[in-house]
Amino acid sequence: MIHRVSIVLVFGILCSALSMIGVAQSSQGTLRLDVNLVNVFPTVQNAAGEYVTGLSAQDFRVFEDDVEQKISIFEKDDRVQSAIGLLVDNSGSMVDILPIMKAGVLEFAQKAKRSDEFFVMTFGLRAQVVQDVRQPVSRLESAFKLITASGTSVFFDAMLQGMEKVGKSVQQRKALILFSDGNDNGSKAGFGEVSLAAQRSGVMLYFVPIGARRLIDQPTVESLATLTGGRVLYLAKTDPIRPVIESIRTDLSRQYFLGYYAAVRPGFHRIRVEVPGHDVRIRAKTGYVGN
């Protein structure tokens, strides 16, 4: 997530020094510096796949376009609240998988933290909210009884709507969890538009495709997950869904929260997170698009 911040500087001597990083001088002789607050949520694991949770801000190094940034905000583990959207594909190709997906979403909703926000959308011929933030889980159970699988899939349109909705939350960490095979055959939007929206919004994308991998659009879900710092968790129809739900829940609660300020510049900016001196694997968004 990118937040624009304006810092007013009253020292005229700084004009030349700051001219290279987007500073405008007002008629009153003050300087206005527009910067982005860039949020990054790295997941750190060791070679065995175990979460590494005892790190401090000094352990991390963050680079934007290969230039190291000063970490201004640091939080660890589950101290950061989340806004989460759960998107369920109810198109015709999901007819024998829909009951499994419903069970997984209900499992997640029933165990959601009180401090977190979540909503549920379904998408087939169109995307619609069936459970909004703070509504009781009983409402979701009733809604799911009426949801059947049919028609085409507006997979990309649903992601755009989900990112727009979750992006309105005041919570810092934002994620979408999508239960789908990743195939789209009815959207107005395309992959490029979704990819750009994800880079602008900072929303992490988690995908839970259920069924034969040959029927899943693996390049689409893998690339979007990598881009945003999310994951893809494949399931066979006979696999239990509870471990996957718990894996995502744990993943979100074990992330670190790093924030740094960067001058406002248009275009795509690469992000790289390192933990020197530790044998770890780091998963985080690979960049963002500035306005």
Side-chain angles (χ1 to χ4, degrees), residues 110-129:
Q110 289 164 350
K111 294 188 176 181
K113 289 168 48 181
R114 287 182 175 272
S115 57
D116 287 342
E117 298 176 1
F118 75 91
F119 63 88
V120 180
M121 295 175 62
T122 58
F123 62 95
L125 290 170
R126 64 186 179 90
Q128 60 179 343
V129 176

Side-chain angles (χ1 to χ4, degrees), residues 33 38 47 54 66 91 102 107 143 166 178 180 190 199 203 206 244 250:
L33 172 60
V38 183
D66 296 323
S91 64
K102 289 180 181 180
E107 172 84 9
V166 78
L178 295 103
S180 173
Q199 293 170 62
V203 176
Y206 287 80
V244 168
T250 302

